[in-house]
Amino acid sequence: MSRRGDWVYENNGGTCVAIAGADYCVIAADTRLSVGYSILTRDHSKICELADKCVLASSGFQGDIKALHKNLAARELLYQHQHNKRMSCPAMAQLLSNTLYYKRFFPYYAFNVLGGLDSEGKGCVFTYDAVGSYERTGYSAQGTGSTLIMPVLDNQLKSPSPLLLPARDAVTPLSETEAIDLVKDVFASATERDIYTGDKLEIVVVNKAGTRREYIDLRKD
Amino acid sequence: MMKPDMSALETHFGAPAGEDCGLLFDVDDSSMPAMEFPNCPNFDRFQAKTKDMVKNKRGTTTLAFIFDRGVIVAADSRASMGGYISSQTVRKIIEINPYMLGTMAGGAADCQFWHRNLGTKCRLHELANKRRISVTGASKLLANILYSYRGMGLSIGTMIAGWDEKGPGLYYVDSEGARLKGNRFSVGSGSLYAYGILDEGYRFKMSIEEAGELARRAIYHATFRDGASGGCVSVYHVGPDGWTKLSGDDVGELHFQYYPVQKTPVEQEMVDASPSTA
């Protein structure tokens, strides 16, 4: 029996991945919700569409994640009413960072990946830690399977660092179909070795035509 | 009669989590909402446990020094979460405004957030006073904020470097509340290694290229020996016209530039022989 305020977190597991391309962004997450060694449900979405070109995937403690997604969706609605347009992905990225940091002393136990298109229509992915430090990258994985997935993404997608001077051209990015195939492969591998990842994979693809969703089955064991 | 602006003296202590848990902040209220605290019997134990749980990103070797042509600021670009490298492309040199830079060491979120906040305050100062803020003033603003959060577990070791009316300025500010004016600082887990190179090669009169090269070598050596430092070395120079980026190099490649592989005689023969057999 835990006393109030003693320890209020639990890790519900799961993995989120996002890959940015020249004019698209793929955001994917598994749909398993676990507590300890038990699976509570095989059908829980970790992805939230915050704006038409902005999608957030989070893994960690689902209570905090629900609260965080609701908070951000409400702020986005307020922004729409005040500015007569939807929030851009970089703007939402900073809002998420600030929202996480305001709970620096009582953190949201959420590991987030924000993906979408920036104002020029290029794919962007923002990766976060639990208290709001963020960085724009070309790809990212967060959650219990992230340490299994990131090395594979580094191998396939790593491009010269944006910090280099003179700047070096980024390697030609993958096409949209290649990126989706990579995501499916990478989740299949993570499912093999991470007990918290599996059941179903939800893939959201954002491009200038709009947003679409796909579901792929993963191993249920 | 105008009331003096005391906003810089405001402290931002947290408020205990209420029923709405601080979720609904008033969008018209331009001041920061108070940070929420957990309602628990032992605050420090809670912070220690959440720190282990979330394993926040931490950054690691930065340095800055003043010489006769201005200030050089350099940093690596690795962020680690526990033993896992979470990123090799972190920007640890933060551009507060076109003539002031801040460095990040310690907790990545803490540094990013408070530097962003400092940039906002510096801009407000410019608008209110019709002149740019001095490096002294900017570092004091940051130091006062950090002092008010002293003991709560923030981890920030930063240097504020800039060029103002008094010339080049460099201050070290940390989350313990320290604020030190100085000519040479290195902060982070790799700082001891960087100091070794920096102190040995430092002279007040140097050209900008020499100073940049010294900084680059110092960070490279820190990345070589410190596991928590790596990625790319970024070197910036702050002069009277503001800052410019001097160089950005991957330390893996820098290693072979500084220590080119000497081929043994046998290997050299093989290399010499191969074009003729192609």
Side-chain angles (χ1 to χ4, degrees), chain B residues 20-247:
Chain B
D20 72 342
C21 296
L23 283 180
L24 302 167
F25 13 97
D26 180 358
V27 289
D28 291 332
D29 184 358
S30 57
S31 67
M32 260 171 42
M35 289 207 194
E36 189 193 302
F37 280 10
N39 196 347
C40 66
N42 188 340
F43 179 79
D44 291 322
R45 206 170 121 252
F46 187 89
Q47 292 306 315
K49 279 164 81 173
T50 47
K51 205 163 109 162
D52 286 330
M53 173 184 85
V54 300
K55 289 201 298 282
N56 294 330
K57 275 199 210 174
R58 306 181 74 80
T60 48
T61 309
T62 59
L63 63 80
F65 58 87
I66 294 180
F67 67 119
D68 75 341
R69 308 283 177 91
V71 197
I72 294 285
V73 184
D76 74 317
S77 69
R78 176 175 288 187
S80 41
M81 276 164 95
Y84 176 69
I85 296 174
S86 57
S87 174
Q88 291 269 63
T89 53
V90 177
R91 286 178 192 278
K92 294 190 190 176
I93 297 180
I94 297 157
E95 299 150 5
I96 298 170
N97 58 43
Y99 62 98
M100 230 189 316
L101 295 172
T103 59
M104 177 206 293
D110 294 333
C111 290
Q112 267 188 13
F113 181 86
W114 290 112
H115 276 117
R116 202 184 308 144
N117 186 270
L118 178 65
T120 312
K121 288 203 158 69
C122 289
R123 179 67 185 140
L124 288 171
H125 176 101
E126 266 183 45
L127 292 169
N129 299 89
K130 270 197 155 184
R131 54 189 261 171
R132 286 174 164 173
I133 192 169
S134 61
V135 183
T136 317
S139 59
K140 193 76 172 174
L141 278 177
L142 183 62
N144 286 340
I145 293 172
L146 297 184
Y147 186 78
S148 69
Y149 284 102
R150 187 170 138 88
M152 295 200 208
L154 291 188
S155 168
I156 301 178
T158 181
M159 295 175 286
I160 307 291
W163 189 293
D164 56 25
E165 283 163 7
K166 297 214 176 86
L170 178 61
Y171 282 84
Y172 164 75
V173 179
D174 76 13
S175 47
E176 305 298 301
R179 175 175 163 266
L180 301 172
K181 185 166 154 71
N183 284 337
R184 232 165 41 235
F185 288 112
S186 175
V187 185
S189 55
S191 62
L192 266 55
Y193 306 108
Y195 269 131
I197 304 297
L198 178 59
D199 289 338
E200 209 271 333
Y202 176 82
R203 286 175 328 278
F204 183 72
K205 276 190 163 6
M206 279 193 280
S207 71
I208 297 178
E209 291 76 33
E210 283 177 328
E213 177 57 29
L214 175 64
R216 204 167 65 148
R217 264 203 2 260
I219 298 283
Y220 157 76
H221 279 277
T223 61
F224 187 69
R225 284 292 178 178
D226 178 32
S229 305
C232 294
V233 185
S234 301
V235 182
Y236 285 68
H237 169 252
V238 189
D241 300 320
W243 55 259
T244 44
K245 184 160 180 177
L246 289 180
S247 68

Side-chain angles (χ1 to χ4, degrees), chain A residues 66-183:
Chain A
K66 263 280 170 298
L68 179 65
H69 286 188
K70 273 184 173 180
N71 186 347
L72 292 174
R75 289 298 299 267
E76 203 278 332
L77 191 57
L78 282 169
Y79 181 97
Q80 264 192 293
H81 288 146
Q82 290 183 330
H83 298 91
N84 199 19
K85 62 174 178 171
R86 304 214 69 175
M87 262 180 114
S88 67
C89 202
M92 180 55 79
Q94 188 158 309
L95 176 64
L96 174 54
S97 170
N98 285 332
T99 308
L100 292 171
Y101 198 81
Y102 276 127
K103 280 175 65 66
R104 167 69 174 74
F105 300 114
F106 188 7
Y108 283 111
Y109 187 10
F111 294 99
N112 303 289
V113 178
L114 185 77
L117 301 180
D118 65 12
S119 348
E120 294 162 19
K122 286 199 269 206
C124 59
V125 167
F126 294 90
T127 179
Y128 294 79
D129 72 353
V131 283
S133 122
Y134 78 114
E135 197 198 340
R136 180 172 175 171
T137 53
Y139 57 90
S140 175
Q142 290 280 3
T144 48
S146 64
T147 48
L148 298 167
I149 292 178
M150 266 315 250
V152 180
L153 295 181
D154 282 332
N155 180 277
Q156 297 291 310
L157 300 174
K158 184 161 184 177
S159 55
S161 168
L163 299 173
L164 291 174
L165 193 74
R168 265 185 245 172
D169 251 342
V171 169
T172 320
L174 301 179
S175 72
E176 192 180 302
T177 28
E178 286 173 334
I180 296 175
D181 284 340
L182 178 60
V183 163

